[in-house]
Amino acid sequence: VPVSRIRNFSIIAHIDHGKSTLADRLLQQTGTVEQREMKEQFLDNMDLERERGITIKLQAARMQYVAKDGEVYCLNLIDTPGHVDFSYEVSRSLAACEGALLVVDASQGVEAQTLANVYLALENNLEIIPVLNKIDLPGADPDRVREEIEEMIGLDCREAILCSAKEGIGVDEILEAVVKKVPAPPETVDEPLRALIFDSYYDSYRGVIVYFRIIDGDVRKGDKILFMASGKEYVIDELGVLSPSQIPVDRLRAGEVGYIAASIRSVADARVGDTITHAGRKAAKMLPGYEEATPMVFCGLFPIDADQFPELREALEKLQLNDAALKFEPETSSAMGFGFRCGFLGLLHMEIVQERLEREYNLNLITTAPSVVYRVHTTSGDVIEVDNPAALPDAGKRQFIEEPYVRLEVITPKDYIGTLMELAQNRRGDFKELKYITTSRASIVYEVPLGEVVSDFFDQMKSRSKGYASMEYSMVGYRKNDLVKLDISINGDSVDPLATIVHRDKAYNVGRALTQKLKELIPRQMFKIPIQACIGTKVIASESISAMRKDVLAKCYGGDITRKKKLLKKQAEGKKRMKSVGRVDVPQDAFMAVLKLE
Ligand code: GTP
């Protein structure tokens, strides 16, 4: 197929608006994947993803399509991950395309993630084709949604395609629109090789598999290539296309999408956004847009059983081979013993890693509450980055602290505007904008400390709006605030993983709520346990857990055996996730208590 008949595109959508269903339909309609080998949602092929119903890792698929003009076209669909934690990966996938299908659920309308994705597509100068999906639903209102897209995005929607990915309506029209509206890639095959990496993953047999789009030049099996950002050189063992399974080929050229295997040891050598060029005939400049991964959220991971520390290290090293954004270093805590301080792109990324460690590596872990990265200006004039509240320099050594802020956009039906603004206000948000999209829905923009968002903001937003509001955020920079460290001690021992950094104005309320919560969560022992919250040496709140008087089973009067069993089982389950801090057993929930104070 000549370059003039290649189309590279992706699908952008808010979660659940039907991206995967539509992708499946396109693969079916073009005969790329036979019905019977079609797993439900072919492109999301990781278990964890399917369970959570979200796309984490992106993939690609090449389709042959005979258009109405009688010509055969090569359509490359590049999938994008659907979560704010991975917006850099989304932007690199979009940079590998000339066009995007903008899928909006016609029964819902424009949501926060729709907008965030559209901004990324516009930054990459993509041709955007609006698709109104789920028109089979009785509640679909394509006219209203068309208006919303025009109002919010300024996109002409007169030719928006009406579609039901579920029933296969509008799929032909979409394929034709991709052929007609998405521009062909430029003809730059004679220039030195530049290929953009939009995904990579670690395969234990072949090393890292790299997915890329060739922007300039061409590449062959056996070529010696250079990754321009990492500076690593490798020889290509295998080159191929994704259909969507991997099919080896001898050569790929400008405009095409494919993969390579080159016995690459770690994804850090071939990161998303890096440029592949020839080691012999180097490109003058890297492709724009490469960024180092900067972890935004940190937490401590401690094995419950200290003997598992070496296994935890090994598991983290293995995960890192496949995840260049995961950072970790050893951490020693007086309360918790040996563990690791780990850095993540965001909360979802953190949860994924924690879950893998427990599920795939059978580790029993205590995880501490997530923290953001603070910039501390010390009295000696240095600026240090602190990702662990326990490591905050003493008040006497600090001039001031800065914390990261995000621009937060919430889209909501108008009934919830009041309660959501109150939520943002409680989280120290600075109001920026309130805009009605239609008479019934609005967009609210705040600038909020990231630390206030990574606690349970998302859950609060969902519960206050009965599930109808959506949100997205992006970093806007650091700001100085009057922050203090709140220390927690249990039974006289300061428990460093429970330390938290809060605004001075909120410290008393947080201290009181946190000590009360801990009182609920920590099981009684044979002795009385005092719990205190302090700023420096000043105690600002205290509670105590009274001593257990009788054996738990005594309550059962020896009568009801099933109840007795249940109680024992519950105790055993609770035990699994307990860490002994001094003489007190502290359950996993207690380490997350600070996130659940509202
Ligand atoms: P993520 O992968 O989680 O980002 O979601 P997605 O955008 O890929 O959505 P997905 O394709 O998983 O669809 C979400 C839900 O909507 C599923 O239950 C689909 O069956 C359903 N769905 C998708 N398209 C249609 C449609 O045209 N009509 C109806 N009625 N339901 C649809």
Side-chain angles (χ1 to χ4, degrees):
V1 180
V3 175
S4 63
R5 280 194 257 122
I6 296 175
R7 300 290 181 273
N8 297 316
F9 72 105
S10 67
I11 307 178
I12 56 183
H14 187 75
I15 189 159
D16 275 348
H17 283 200
K19 180 166 69 110
S20 308
T21 311
L22 179 60
D24 288 353
R25 282 287 170 188
L26 298 176
L27 295 183
Q28 267 175 31
Q29 198 87 347
T30 53
T32 312
V33 177
E34 295 296 328
Q35 187 88 38
R36 66 195 138 73
E37 55 175 291
M38 193 96 191
K39 278 188 237 138
E40 201 196 340
Q41 300 189 349
F42 200 92
L43 289 171
D44 300 358
N45 61 8
M46 288 160 77
D47 286 353
L48 214 75
E49 289 179 25
R50 200 164 310 132
E51 268 167 39
R52 288 160 177 263
I54 39 169
T55 317
I56 300 160
K57 269 290 184 186
L58 28 134
Q59 301 251 339
R62 176 160 106 161
M63 300 173 269
Q64 298 274 351
Y65 173 63
V66 184
K68 296 237 166 70
D69 63 10
E71 302 282 2
V72 178
Y73 287 83
C74 169
L75 311 182
N76 290 306
L77 169 58
I78 296 177
D79 199 15
T80 54
H83 193 274
V84 59
D85 286 6
F86 304 101
S87 63
Y88 169 69
E89 279 80 355
V90 177
S91 83
R92 295 306 82 207
S93 292
L94 295 177
C97 298
E98 276 77 33
L101 299 173
L102 170 64
V103 173
V104 183
D105 183 334
S107 68
Q108 304 282 330
V110 173
E111 296 289 355
Q113 204 186 317
T114 321
L115 282 180
N117 283 327
V118 167
Y119 298 147
L120 291 175
L122 292 173
E123 276 169 29
N124 284 291
N125 295 316
L126 301 195
E127 179 67 32
I128 298 176
I129 301 172
V131 173
L132 306 177
N133 190 31
K134 307 200 190 182
I135 54 154
D136 59 289
L137 289 178
D141 187 352
D143 290 336
R144 172 181 66 84
V145 173
R146 216 182 254 132
E147 229 176 273
E148 283 191 12
I149 300 175
E150 293 194 337
E151 175 64 27
M152 289 300 282
I153 302 167
L155 204 65
D156 184 350
C157 281
R158 280 172 300 185
E159 292 184 30
I161 299 168
L162 298 181
C163 167
S164 164
K166 190 174 168 194
E167 305 198 337
I169 302 167
V171 178
D172 274 325
E173 236 183 297
I174 290 172
L175 289 166
E176 282 300 313
V178 168
V179 164
K180 290 218 187 74
K181 295 192 173 157
V182 176
E187 295 259 11
T188 53
V189 72
D190 299 327
E191 291 176 28
L193 172 66
R194 288 200 298 175
L196 175 66
I197 301 178
F198 61 81
D199 194 13
S200 59
Y201 71 92
Y202 182 77
D203 176 301
S204 44
Y205 299 103
R206 295 179 293 168
V208 175
I209 307 295
V210 179
Y211 289 179
F212 59 86
R213 145 82 194 267
I214 304 184
I215 306 289
D216 304 319
D218 68 344
V219 69
R220 287 166 207 270
K221 189 179 163 179
D223 283 356
K224 191 168 186 197
I225 50 168
L226 165 72
F227 295 94
M228 296 180 83
S230 72
K232 297 282 160 69
E233 289 185 9
Y234 287 96
V235 173
I236 299 178
D237 302 328
E238 185 182 327
L239 174 73
V241 294
L242 304 148
S243 89
S245 48
Q246 297 173 354
I247 297 175
V249 300
D250 289 329
R251 176 185 177 230
L252 289 169
R253 68 212 142 98
E256 291 191 292
V257 173
Y259 74 93
I260 54 169
S263 310
I264 300 164
R265 280 174 290 273
S266 156
V267 289
D269 290 356
R271 266 198 64 224
V272 170
D274 201 346
T275 303
I276 307 172
T277 191
H278 278 123
R281 188 186 173 212
K282 285 192 192 80
K285 256 171 72 184
M286 271 185 76
L287 294 163
Y290 178 78
E291 282 172 23
E292 294 293 335
T294 15
M296 309 282 274
V297 174
F298 285 78
C299 78
L301 293 180
F302 295 91
I304 292 181
D305 176 357
D307 292 347
Q308 281 197 330
F309 178 76
E311 283 163 65
L312 175 57
R313 178 195 296 275
E314 215 169 284
L316 284 166
E317 281 167 357
K318 276 201 188 128
L319 286 182
Q320 203 174 42
L321 289 178
N322 203 13
D323 184 350
L326 170 64
K327 300 275 148 70
F328 62 90
E329 54 183 56
E331 175 186 359
T332 319
S333 149
S334 54
M336 309 287 282
F338 294 105
F340 290 94
R341 190 80 191 161
C342 304
F344 309 93
L345 295 173
L347 283 187
L348 178 73
H349 185 214
M350 180 176 98
E351 280 172 31
I352 293 167
V353 171
Q354 289 171 357
E355 222 169 294
R356 290 237 162 106
L357 289 170
E358 303 206 331
R359 255 206 242 181
E360 295 169 25
Y361 296 91
N362 276 320
L363 294 164
N364 232 331
L365 302 173
I366 291 283
T367 54
T368 68
S371 162
V372 298
V373 183
Y374 297 91
R375 280 193 192 146
V376 181
H377 295 250
T378 64
T379 44
S380 53
D382 296 328
V383 183
I384 54 172
E385 297 207 327
V386 174
D387 59 46
N388 186 351
L392 191 74
D394 291 339
K397 294 191 177 131
R398 307 192 302 250
Q399 268 189 64
F400 60 90
I401 306 177
E402 290 180 296
E403 61 179 329
Y405 267 69
V406 293
R407 175 189 186 275
L408 173 76
E409 178 157 18
V410 176
I411 293 186
T412 176
K414 71 170 188 318
D415 295 353
Y416 310 112
I417 293 173
T419 177
L420 292 175
M421 287 180 70
E422 184 191 57
L423 173 64
Q425 225 87 44
N426 290 345
R427 299 304 176 92
R428 300 191 281 130
D430 296 326
F431 175 75
K432 289 287 149 191
E433 193 183 17
L434 168 65
K435 198 168 121 188
Y436 278 84
I437 309 170
T438 57
T439 49
S440 60
R441 298 204 319 142
S443 144
I444 314 168
V445 178
Y446 272 84
E447 287 179 359
V448 191
L450 178 62
E452 299 276 353
V453 179
V454 301
S455 52
D456 64 340
F457 190 95
F458 181 81
D459 294 344
Q460 287 287 326
M461 175 204 75
K462 281 291 177 192
S463 83
R464 282 174 183 240
S465 68
K466 304 201 164 57
Y468 285 111
S470 63
M471 63 178 254
E472 277 286 322
Y473 57 85
S474 55
M475 271 292 283
V476 287
Y478 273 78
R479 286 181 204 166
K480 180 174 161 178
N481 271 322
D482 188 9
L483 302 172
V484 293
K485 180 166 77 151
L486 196 63
D487 284 308
I488 300 291
S489 73
I490 298 177
N491 201 29
D493 296 324
S494 168
V495 184
D496 44 346
L498 287 174
T500 173
I501 293 175
V502 291
H503 195 275
R504 191 181 296 278
D505 296 346
K506 289 176 113 185
Y508 280 86
N509 286 334
V510 172
R512 208 169 306 132
L514 187 53
T515 48
Q516 278 164 11
K517 194 88 190 171
L518 289 170
K519 180 181 173 180
E520 281 168 34
L521 293 171
I522 295 173
R524 290 171 158 211
Q525 327 263 329
M526 302 308 289
F527 48 90
K528 184 176 162 198
I529 308 167
I531 301 175
Q532 292 183 323
C534 322
I535 298 175
T537 52
K538 189 168 156 209
V539 177
I540 60 162
S542 64
E543 288 285 340
S544 71
I545 304 172
S546 52
M548 190 158 46
R549 283 193 201 90
K550 296 179 201 125
D551 188 85
V552 247
L553 294 179
K555 280 190 226 128
C556 300
Y557 306 112
D560 184 348
I561 188 73
T562 51
R563 184 169 141 69
K564 202 177 209 171
K565 271 191 187 149
K566 250 191 210 156
L567 207 61
L568 285 170
K569 183 154 175 276
K570 226 171 138 192
Q571 277 187 326
E573 272 167 13
K575 271 261 164 50
K576 266 198 285 187
R577 291 300 203 103
M578 296 260 199
K579 187 82 185 173
S580 305
V581 175
R583 293 163 64 206
V584 181
D585 287 340
V586 181
Q588 167 67 65
D589 287 357
F591 292 99
M592 294 293 162
V594 68
L595 305 183
K596 304 255 150 59
L597 298 182
E598 256 168 74

